[in-house]
Amino acid sequence: DLGALTLASPEVKFEIDTETHDPLDVGMYKTRETNKMVEEMMLLANETVATCIFEKGFSRSALLRRHPVPTQTMFEPLIKACKAAGIDMDVTTSKSLADSLDAAGVKDKDSYLNTLIRFMATRCMTQAEYFSSGEVAQSQFNHYGLAMPIYTHFTSPIRRYADVVVHRMLGACIGLEAPSEQLCESSLVTEQCEVLNVRHRNAQMAGRASAELYTLVFFRDRPSEDSARVVKVREKGVIVFIPKYGIEGPIKLESWTKAAEKPKMTSPDGSKTLHLFDKVQVRIEVQQEGQSRQEHLVLSLV
């Protein structure tokens, strides 16, 4: 009701051979209702702990996480794409955006169109970031995507160092241990936040690179055909997304013509057209390109 956004990004899951460590299968990670329930509880815990450490001990140095409000310009690709598909998209507030995302594709009973639009919305967002409460005005603490006035990371100390720091702050707030100087100085916490933000971005890039590598290995000897959706129209071709495998990539369309005003491509003889969000059948294969014979995943229309 407050306007929390249910966004989406393609997460790929691999089944790995225990002996060779080669991928045996690849597909999209599926979220179940139980995952969503646990996530809601974790979000509530993170918000509660953020409020506690800020109000009861670390008003000038609490390690928090915020998500700045995106500018109208950042939403233009989403608005333009939705307009071309006849979908109303109101980005005035997070609440109006959440309502528009919930309604997208419902009229056409196209559930995957809704997912694609959520992918697009996710890419319009700014990156969330860690910060010290002493360096930012309280009015700027809010997390846009979660529609929360204050937020931090507390629930995953086994995989994120930010959570370890927040655990130490909470421990000091409830009297388990005395706070160290590093937790009380805003400048020191800010230095730590800068490192955490860089490491977080690096981890994201490493994860994407790993997924791309294993996808390439999987299709090296397995050329396949599957259904895809057009997610972007360019001057020389289209970008498609293959739901089954979580793959997104370009398809070159030599001699095709891009419409001036609409995201549409037309074949040389005019017999075929491709619009944004159209369903297409594509071939997936690995080819060697260039003098280095470097392998690339190549997509083509069937």
Side-chain angles (χ1 to χ4, degrees), residues 237-270:
V238 295
I239 305 294
V240 299
F241 181 75
I242 306 169
K244 182 178 178 179
Y245 299 114
I247 297 172
E248 182 176 325
I251 293 180
K252 295 179 181 179
L253 297 174
E254 299 293 342
S255 302
W256 285 53
T257 305
K258 182 179 182 294
E261 300 296 329
K262 296 181 179 181
K264 181 179 75 170
M265 296 287 289
T266 305
S267 62
D269 61 2

PDB file of all heavy atoms in Angstrom, residues 237-270:
ATOM      1  N   GLY A 237      19.083  -3.988 -35.988  1.00  0.00           N
ATOM      2  CA  GLY A 237      18.589  -5.256 -35.482  1.00  0.00           C
ATOM      3  C   GLY A 237      17.769  -5.083 -34.216  1.00  0.00           C
ATOM      4  O   GLY A 237      17.280  -3.985 -33.922  1.00  0.00           O
ATOM      5  N   VAL A 238      17.617  -6.168 -33.476  1.00  0.00           N
ATOM      6  CA  VAL A 238      16.812  -6.140 -32.257  1.00  0.00           C
ATOM      7  C   VAL A 238      17.571  -6.829 -31.121  1.00  0.00           C
ATOM      8  O   VAL A 238      18.505  -7.602 -31.354  1.00  0.00           O
ATOM      9  CB  VAL A 238      15.446  -6.845 -32.463  1.00  0.00           C
ATOM     10  CG1 VAL A 238      14.599  -6.096 -33.473  1.00  0.00           C
ATOM     11  CG2 VAL A 238      15.649  -8.312 -32.888  1.00  0.00           C
ATOM     12  N   ILE A 239      17.168  -6.525 -29.901  1.00  0.00           N
ATOM     13  CA  ILE A 239      17.642  -7.234 -28.720  1.00  0.00           C
ATOM     14  C   ILE A 239      16.514  -8.145 -28.273  1.00  0.00           C
ATOM     15  O   ILE A 239      15.350  -7.702 -28.157  1.00  0.00           O
ATOM     16  CB  ILE A 239      18.013  -6.267 -27.579  1.00  0.00           C
ATOM     17  CG1 ILE A 239      19.026  -5.227 -28.059  1.00  0.00           C
ATOM     18  CG2 ILE A 239      18.560  -7.044 -26.386  1.00  0.00           C
ATOM     19  CD1 ILE A 239      20.362  -5.786 -28.433  1.00  0.00           C
ATOM     20  N   VAL A 240      16.808  -9.409 -28.038  1.00  0.00           N
ATOM     21  CA  VAL A 240      15.770 -10.352 -27.609  1.00  0.00           C
ATOM     22  C   VAL A 240      16.134 -10.946 -26.252  1.00  0.00           C
ATOM     23  O   VAL A 240      17.301 -10.979 -25.858  1.00  0.00           O
ATOM     24  CB  VAL A 240      15.569 -11.497 -28.635  1.00  0.00           C
ATOM     25  CG1 VAL A 240      15.123 -10.936 -29.975  1.00  0.00           C
ATOM     26  CG2 VAL A 240      16.835 -12.337 -28.779  1.00  0.00           C
ATOM     27  N   PHE A 241      15.112 -11.403 -25.563  1.00  0.00           N
ATOM     28  CA  PHE A 241      15.302 -12.087 -24.276  1.00  0.00           C
ATOM     29  C   PHE A 241      14.665 -13.462 -24.375  1.00  0.00           C
ATOM     30  O   PHE A 241      13.520 -13.601 -24.819  1.00  0.00           O
ATOM     31  CB  PHE A 241      14.649 -11.295 -23.141  1.00  0.00           C
ATOM     32  CG  PHE A 241      14.823 -11.945 -21.794  1.00  0.00           C
ATOM     33  CD1 PHE A 241      16.038 -11.889 -21.131  1.00  0.00           C
ATOM     34  CD2 PHE A 241      13.777 -12.634 -21.200  1.00  0.00           C
ATOM     35  CE1 PHE A 241      16.208 -12.504 -19.899  1.00  0.00           C
ATOM     36  CE2 PHE A 241      13.935 -13.250 -19.977  1.00  0.00           C
ATOM     37  CZ  PHE A 241      15.157 -13.184 -19.317  1.00  0.00           C
ATOM     38  N   ILE A 242      15.429 -14.487 -23.980  1.00  0.00           N
ATOM     39  CA  ILE A 242      14.950 -15.870 -24.049  1.00  0.00           C
ATOM     40  C   ILE A 242      14.584 -16.320 -22.636  1.00  0.00           C
ATOM     41  O   ILE A 242      15.478 -16.602 -21.823  1.00  0.00           O
ATOM     42  CB  ILE A 242      16.027 -16.794 -24.655  1.00  0.00           C
ATOM     43  CG1 ILE A 242      16.482 -16.238 -26.010  1.00  0.00           C
ATOM     44  CG2 ILE A 242      15.492 -18.215 -24.810  1.00  0.00           C
ATOM     45  CD1 ILE A 242      17.713 -16.916 -26.557  1.00  0.00           C
ATOM     46  N   PRO A 243      13.298 -16.366 -22.310  1.00  0.00           N
ATOM     47  CA  PRO A 243      12.873 -16.656 -20.942  1.00  0.00           C
ATOM     48  C   PRO A 243      13.380 -17.980 -20.380  1.00  0.00           C
ATOM     49  O   PRO A 243      13.738 -18.065 -19.208  1.00  0.00           O
ATOM     50  CB  PRO A 243      11.335 -16.664 -21.044  1.00  0.00           C
ATOM     51  CG  PRO A 243      11.035 -15.824 -22.236  1.00  0.00           C
ATOM     52  CD  PRO A 243      12.156 -16.072 -23.189  1.00  0.00           C
ATOM     53  N   LYS A 244      13.423 -19.019 -21.208  1.00  0.00           N
ATOM     54  CA  LYS A 244      13.798 -20.342 -20.714  1.00  0.00           C
ATOM     55  C   LYS A 244      15.200 -20.354 -20.124  1.00  0.00           C
ATOM     56  O   LYS A 244      15.468 -21.019 -19.117  1.00  0.00           O
ATOM     57  CB  LYS A 244      13.699 -21.376 -21.836  1.00  0.00           C
ATOM     58  CG  LYS A 244      14.036 -22.797 -21.394  1.00  0.00           C
ATOM     59  CD  LYS A 244      13.869 -23.794 -22.540  1.00  0.00           C
ATOM     60  CE  LYS A 244      14.248 -25.209 -22.105  1.00  0.00           C
ATOM     61  NZ  LYS A 244      14.074 -26.184 -23.217  1.00  0.00           N
ATOM     62  N   TYR A 245      16.117 -19.597 -20.758  1.00  0.00           N
ATOM     63  CA  TYR A 245      17.515 -19.635 -20.345  1.00  0.00           C
ATOM     64  C   TYR A 245      17.981 -18.353 -19.663  1.00  0.00           C
ATOM     65  O   TYR A 245      19.119 -18.278 -19.194  1.00  0.00           O
ATOM     66  CB  TYR A 245      18.411 -19.904 -21.558  1.00  0.00           C
ATOM     67  CG  TYR A 245      18.129 -21.218 -22.244  1.00  0.00           C
ATOM     68  CD1 TYR A 245      17.622 -21.259 -23.537  1.00  0.00           C
ATOM     69  CD2 TYR A 245      18.373 -22.422 -21.600  1.00  0.00           C
ATOM     70  CE1 TYR A 245      17.368 -22.459 -24.176  1.00  0.00           C
ATOM     71  CE2 TYR A 245      18.117 -23.635 -22.235  1.00  0.00           C
ATOM     72  CZ  TYR A 245      17.618 -23.642 -23.515  1.00  0.00           C
ATOM     73  OH  TYR A 245      17.363 -24.851 -24.145  1.00  0.00           O
ATOM     74  N   GLY A 246      17.141 -17.321 -19.641  1.00  0.00           N
ATOM     75  CA  GLY A 246      17.564 -16.059 -19.053  1.00  0.00           C
ATOM     76  C   GLY A 246      18.621 -15.341 -19.869  1.00  0.00           C
ATOM     77  O   GLY A 246      19.426 -14.578 -19.346  1.00  0.00           O
ATOM     78  N   ILE A 247      18.635 -15.591 -21.183  1.00  0.00           N
ATOM     79  CA  ILE A 247      19.646 -15.011 -22.067  1.00  0.00           C
ATOM     80  C   ILE A 247      19.080 -13.768 -22.759  1.00  0.00           C
ATOM     81  O   ILE A 247      17.956 -13.782 -23.265  1.00  0.00           O
ATOM     82  CB  ILE A 247      20.085 -16.025 -23.139  1.00  0.00           C
ATOM     83  CG1 ILE A 247      20.743 -17.236 -22.499  1.00  0.00           C
ATOM     84  CG2 ILE A 247      21.020 -15.377 -24.148  1.00  0.00           C
ATOM     85  CD1 ILE A 247      21.015 -18.353 -23.483  1.00  0.00           C
ATOM     86  N   GLU A 248      19.877 -12.720 -22.791  1.00  0.00           N
ATOM     87  CA  GLU A 248      19.529 -11.523 -23.553  1.00  0.00           C
ATOM     88  C   GLU A 248      20.673 -11.202 -24.503  1.00  0.00           C
ATOM     89  O   GLU A 248      21.843 -11.226 -24.104  1.00  0.00           O
ATOM     90  CB  GLU A 248      19.288 -10.337 -22.616  1.00  0.00           C
ATOM     91  CG  GLU A 248      18.879  -9.068 -23.329  1.00  0.00           C
ATOM     92  CD  GLU A 248      18.560  -7.940 -22.383  1.00  0.00           C
ATOM     93  OE1 GLU A 248      18.008  -8.213 -21.293  1.00  0.00           O
ATOM     94  OE2 GLU A 248      18.863  -6.781 -22.718  1.00  0.00           O
ATOM     95  N   GLY A 249      20.341 -10.931 -25.763  1.00  0.00           N
ATOM     96  CA  GLY A 249      21.404 -10.644 -26.717  1.00  0.00           C
ATOM     97  C   GLY A 249      20.866 -10.069 -28.016  1.00  0.00           C
ATOM     98  O   GLY A 249      19.658 -10.073 -28.270  1.00  0.00           O
ATOM     99  N   PRO A 250      21.778  -9.580 -28.868  1.00  0.00           N
ATOM    100  CA  PRO A 250      21.368  -8.937 -30.124  1.00  0.00           C
ATOM    101  C   PRO A 250      21.175  -9.932 -31.264  1.00  0.00           C
ATOM    102  O   PRO A 250      21.806 -10.987 -31.298  1.00  0.00           O
ATOM    103  CB  PRO A 250      22.556  -8.016 -30.424  1.00  0.00           C
ATOM    104  CG  PRO A 250      23.738  -8.760 -29.861  1.00  0.00           C
ATOM    105  CD  PRO A 250      23.231  -9.480 -28.635  1.00  0.00           C
ATOM    106  N   ILE A 251      20.293  -9.567 -32.170  1.00  0.00           N
ATOM    107  CA  ILE A 251      20.143 -10.283 -33.438  1.00  0.00           C
ATOM    108  C   ILE A 251      20.322  -9.257 -34.548  1.00  0.00           C
ATOM    109  O   ILE A 251      19.589  -8.263 -34.617  1.00  0.00           O
ATOM    110  CB  ILE A 251      18.762 -10.948 -33.559  1.00  0.00           C
ATOM    111  CG1 ILE A 251      18.618 -12.071 -32.525  1.00  0.00           C
ATOM    112  CG2 ILE A 251      18.545 -11.493 -34.964  1.00  0.00           C
ATOM    113  CD1 ILE A 251      17.278 -12.779 -32.574  1.00  0.00           C
ATOM    114  N   LYS A 252      21.314  -9.468 -35.409  1.00  0.00           N
ATOM    115  CA  LYS A 252      21.549  -8.555 -36.521  1.00  0.00           C
ATOM    116  C   LYS A 252      20.538  -8.826 -37.632  1.00  0.00           C
ATOM    117  O   LYS A 252      20.287  -9.978 -37.987  1.00  0.00           O
ATOM    118  CB  LYS A 252      22.975  -8.726 -37.054  1.00  0.00           C
ATOM    119  CG  LYS A 252      24.059  -8.338 -36.056  1.00  0.00           C
ATOM    120  CD  LYS A 252      25.449  -8.550 -36.649  1.00  0.00           C
ATOM    121  CE  LYS A 252      26.529  -8.195 -35.647  1.00  0.00           C
ATOM    122  NZ  LYS A 252      27.893  -8.419 -36.195  1.00  0.00           N
ATOM    123  N   LEU A 253      19.964  -7.757 -38.154  1.00  0.00           N
ATOM    124  CA  LEU A 253      18.985  -7.877 -39.241  1.00  0.00           C
ATOM    125  C   LEU A 253      19.466  -7.017 -40.405  1.00  0.00           C
ATOM    126  O   LEU A 253      19.100  -5.843 -40.543  1.00  0.00           O
ATOM    127  CB  LEU A 253      17.596  -7.424 -38.758  1.00  0.00           C
ATOM    128  CG  LEU A 253      16.977  -8.250 -37.620  1.00  0.00           C
ATOM    129  CD1 LEU A 253      15.684  -7.629 -37.141  1.00  0.00           C
ATOM    130  CD2 LEU A 253      16.743  -9.692 -38.064  1.00  0.00           C
ATOM    131  N   GLU A 254      20.318  -7.601 -41.220  1.00  0.00           N
ATOM    132  CA  GLU A 254      20.882  -6.887 -42.353  1.00  0.00           C
ATOM    133  C   GLU A 254      19.786  -6.522 -43.359  1.00  0.00           C
ATOM    134  O   GLU A 254      18.924  -7.339 -43.693  1.00  0.00           O
ATOM    135  CB  GLU A 254      21.950  -7.748 -43.052  1.00  0.00           C
ATOM    136  CG  GLU A 254      23.126  -8.117 -42.162  1.00  0.00           C
ATOM    137  CD  GLU A 254      23.966  -6.921 -41.777  1.00  0.00           C
ATOM    138  OE1 GLU A 254      23.859  -5.878 -42.463  1.00  0.00           O
ATOM    139  OE2 GLU A 254      24.735  -7.028 -40.800  1.00  0.00           O
ATOM    140  N   SER A 255      19.828  -5.293 -43.824  1.00  0.00           N
ATOM    141  CA  SER A 255      18.918  -4.766 -44.858  1.00  0.00           C
ATOM    142  C   SER A 255      17.497  -4.520 -44.347  1.00  0.00           C
ATOM    143  O   SER A 255      16.638  -4.073 -45.116  1.00  0.00           O
ATOM    144  CB  SER A 255      18.864  -5.700 -46.080  1.00  0.00           C
ATOM    145  OG  SER A 255      20.167  -5.873 -46.621  1.00  0.00           O
ATOM    146  N   TRP A 256      17.215  -4.848 -43.073  1.00  0.00           N
ATOM    147  CA  TRP A 256      15.905  -4.520 -42.521  1.00  0.00           C
ATOM    148  C   TRP A 256      15.847  -3.006 -42.257  1.00  0.00           C
ATOM    149  O   TRP A 256      16.870  -2.360 -42.062  1.00  0.00           O
ATOM    150  CB  TRP A 256      15.636  -5.281 -41.224  1.00  0.00           C
ATOM    151  CG  TRP A 256      15.313  -6.743 -41.418  1.00  0.00           C
ATOM    152  CD1 TRP A 256      16.037  -7.655 -42.114  1.00  0.00           C
ATOM    153  CD2 TRP A 256      14.195  -7.440 -40.878  1.00  0.00           C
ATOM    154  NE1 TRP A 256      15.439  -8.897 -42.046  1.00  0.00           N
ATOM    155  CE2 TRP A 256      14.302  -8.794 -41.291  1.00  0.00           C
ATOM    156  CE3 TRP A 256      13.113  -7.075 -40.083  1.00  0.00           C
ATOM    157  CZ2 TRP A 256      13.371  -9.762 -40.947  1.00  0.00           C
ATOM    158  CZ3 TRP A 256      12.174  -8.040 -39.724  1.00  0.00           C
ATOM    159  CH2 TRP A 256      12.297  -9.368 -40.162  1.00  0.00           C
ATOM    160  N   THR A 257      14.643  -2.467 -42.220  1.00  0.00           N
ATOM    161  CA  THR A 257      14.461  -1.028 -42.040  1.00  0.00           C
ATOM    162  C   THR A 257      13.761  -0.741 -40.715  1.00  0.00           C
ATOM    163  O   THR A 257      12.734  -1.360 -40.400  1.00  0.00           O
ATOM    164  CB  THR A 257      13.619  -0.434 -43.182  1.00  0.00           C
ATOM    165  OG1 THR A 257      14.234  -0.769 -44.433  1.00  0.00           O
ATOM    166  CG2 THR A 257      13.523   1.076 -43.043  1.00  0.00           C
ATOM    167  N   LYS A 258      14.319   0.185 -39.950  1.00  0.00           N
ATOM    168  CA  LYS A 258      13.707   0.588 -38.683  1.00  0.00           C
ATOM    169  C   LYS A 258      12.764   1.757 -38.931  1.00  0.00           C
ATOM    170  O   LYS A 258      13.109   2.725 -39.623  1.00  0.00           O
ATOM    171  CB  LYS A 258      14.773   1.000 -37.670  1.00  0.00           C
ATOM    172  CG  LYS A 258      14.216   1.378 -36.302  1.00  0.00           C
ATOM    173  CD  LYS A 258      15.343   1.748 -35.353  1.00  0.00           C
ATOM    174  CE  LYS A 258      14.803   2.089 -33.972  1.00  0.00           C
ATOM    175  NZ  LYS A 258      13.975   3.297 -33.967  1.00  0.00           N
ATOM    176  N   ALA A 259      11.552   1.676 -38.387  1.00  0.00           N
ATOM    177  CA  ALA A 259      10.579   2.749 -38.532  1.00  0.00           C
ATOM    178  C   ALA A 259      11.080   4.002 -37.820  1.00  0.00           C
ATOM    179  O   ALA A 259      11.783   3.927 -36.816  1.00  0.00           O
ATOM    180  CB  ALA A 259       9.233   2.317 -37.962  1.00  0.00           C
ATOM    181  N   ALA A 260      10.713   5.166 -38.339  1.00  0.00           N
ATOM    182  CA  ALA A 260      11.219   6.429 -37.801  1.00  0.00           C
ATOM    183  C   ALA A 260      10.636   6.740 -36.427  1.00  0.00           C
ATOM    184  O   ALA A 260      11.343   7.196 -35.528  1.00  0.00           O
ATOM    185  CB  ALA A 260      10.897   7.566 -38.774  1.00  0.00           C
ATOM    186  N   GLU A 261       9.357   6.488 -36.234  1.00  0.00           N
ATOM    187  CA  GLU A 261       8.688   6.903 -35.000  1.00  0.00           C
ATOM    188  C   GLU A 261       8.395   5.755 -34.046  1.00  0.00           C
ATOM    189  O   GLU A 261       8.286   5.963 -32.839  1.00  0.00           O
ATOM    190  CB  GLU A 261       7.360   7.609 -35.347  1.00  0.00           C
ATOM    191  CG  GLU A 261       7.527   8.859 -36.198  1.00  0.00           C
ATOM    192  CD  GLU A 261       8.305   9.960 -35.483  1.00  0.00           C
ATOM    193  OE1 GLU A 261       8.211  10.028 -34.255  1.00  0.00           O
ATOM    194  OE2 GLU A 261       8.997  10.727 -36.164  1.00  0.00           O
ATOM    195  N   LYS A 262       8.268   4.546 -34.566  1.00  0.00           N
ATOM    196  CA  LYS A 262       7.863   3.420 -33.726  1.00  0.00           C
ATOM    197  C   LYS A 262       8.984   2.390 -33.606  1.00  0.00           C
ATOM    198  O   LYS A 262       9.804   2.257 -34.524  1.00  0.00           O
ATOM    199  CB  LYS A 262       6.616   2.751 -34.313  1.00  0.00           C
ATOM    200  CG  LYS A 262       5.382   3.638 -34.344  1.00  0.00           C
ATOM    201  CD  LYS A 262       4.190   2.874 -34.922  1.00  0.00           C
ATOM    202  CE  LYS A 262       2.945   3.743 -34.945  1.00  0.00           C
ATOM    203  NZ  LYS A 262       1.777   3.000 -35.490  1.00  0.00           N
ATOM    204  N   PRO A 263       9.031   1.632 -32.504  1.00  0.00           N
ATOM    205  CA  PRO A 263      10.017   0.551 -32.381  1.00  0.00           C
ATOM    206  C   PRO A 263       9.593  -0.650 -33.214  1.00  0.00           C
ATOM    207  O   PRO A 263       9.034  -1.622 -32.719  1.00  0.00           O
ATOM    208  CB  PRO A 263      10.012   0.250 -30.877  1.00  0.00           C
ATOM    209  CG  PRO A 263       8.649   0.645 -30.412  1.00  0.00           C
ATOM    210  CD  PRO A 263       8.243   1.801 -31.269  1.00  0.00           C
ATOM    211  N   LYS A 264       9.877  -0.563 -34.529  1.00  0.00           N
ATOM    212  CA  LYS A 264       9.441  -1.594 -35.462  1.00  0.00           C
ATOM    213  C   LYS A 264      10.503  -1.775 -36.539  1.00  0.00           C
ATOM    214  O   LYS A 264      11.110  -0.819 -37.010  1.00  0.00           O
ATOM    215  CB  LYS A 264       8.104  -1.193 -36.102  1.00  0.00           C
ATOM    216  CG  LYS A 264       7.548  -2.218 -37.073  1.00  0.00           C
ATOM    217  CD  LYS A 264       6.206  -1.769 -37.639  1.00  0.00           C
ATOM    218  CE  LYS A 264       6.345  -0.681 -38.662  1.00  0.00           C
ATOM    219  NZ  LYS A 264       5.077  -0.407 -39.373  1.00  0.00           N
ATOM    220  N   MET A 265      10.736  -3.052 -36.926  1.00  0.00           N
ATOM    221  CA  MET A 265      11.652  -3.372 -38.011  1.00  0.00           C
ATOM    222  C   MET A 265      10.877  -4.061 -39.125  1.00  0.00           C
ATOM    223  O   MET A 265      10.006  -4.898 -38.842  1.00  0.00           O
ATOM    224  CB  MET A 265      12.765  -4.298 -37.525  1.00  0.00           C
ATOM    225  CG  MET A 265      13.679  -3.702 -36.465  1.00  0.00           C
ATOM    226  SD  MET A 265      14.812  -2.461 -37.108  1.00  0.00           S
ATOM    227  CE  MET A 265      15.942  -3.483 -38.055  1.00  0.00           C
ATOM    228  N   THR A 266      11.214  -3.740 -40.376  1.00  0.00           N
ATOM    229  CA  THR A 266      10.537  -4.335 -41.534  1.00  0.00           C
ATOM    230  C   THR A 266      11.575  -4.983 -42.439  1.00  0.00           C
ATOM    231  O   THR A 266      12.629  -4.394 -42.716  1.00  0.00           O
ATOM    232  CB  THR A 266       9.756  -3.264 -42.315  1.00  0.00           C
ATOM    233  OG1 THR A 266       8.856  -2.591 -41.427  1.00  0.00           O
ATOM    234  CG2 THR A 266       8.959  -3.907 -43.448  1.00  0.00           C
ATOM    235  N   SER A 267      11.269  -6.200 -42.901  1.00  0.00           N
ATOM    236  CA  SER A 267      12.185  -6.936 -43.779  1.00  0.00           C
ATOM    237  C   SER A 267      12.294  -6.237 -45.134  1.00  0.00           C
ATOM    238  O   SER A 267      11.423  -5.437 -45.503  1.00  0.00           O
ATOM    239  CB  SER A 267      11.697  -8.367 -43.967  1.00  0.00           C
ATOM    240  OG  SER A 267      10.427  -8.387 -44.595  1.00  0.00           O
ATOM    241  N   PRO A 268      13.347  -6.527 -45.907  1.00  0.00           N
ATOM    242  CA  PRO A 268      13.560  -5.844 -47.203  1.00  0.00           C
ATOM    243  C   PRO A 268      12.368  -5.932 -48.149  1.00  0.00           C
ATOM    244  O   PRO A 268      12.065  -4.970 -48.850  1.00  0.00           O
ATOM    245  CB  PRO A 268      14.778  -6.570 -47.780  1.00  0.00           C
ATOM    246  CG  PRO A 268      15.523  -7.064 -46.575  1.00  0.00           C
ATOM    247  CD  PRO A 268      14.468  -7.429 -45.578  1.00  0.00           C
ATOM    248  N   ASP A 269      11.681  -7.085 -48.180  1.00  0.00           N
ATOM    249  CA  ASP A 269      10.547  -7.224 -49.110  1.00  0.00           C
ATOM    250  C   ASP A 269       9.224  -6.812 -48.478  1.00  0.00           C
ATOM    251  O   ASP A 269       8.164  -6.889 -49.130  1.00  0.00           O
ATOM    252  CB  ASP A 269      10.454  -8.660 -49.622  1.00  0.00           C
ATOM    253  CG  ASP A 269      10.228  -9.669 -48.496  1.00  0.00           C
ATOM    254  OD1 ASP A 269      10.114  -9.242 -47.310  1.00  0.00           O
ATOM    255  OD2 ASP A 269      10.173 -10.876 -48.787  1.00  0.00           O
ATOM    256  N   GLY A 270       9.268  -6.363 -47.215  1.00  0.00           N
ATOM    257  CA  GLY A 270       8.060  -5.888 -46.553  1.00  0.00           C
ATOM    258  C   GLY A 270       7.126  -6.981 -46.062  1.00  0.00           C
ATOM    259  O   GLY A 270       6.053  -6.700 -45.542  1.00  0.00           O
TER     260      GLY A 270
END
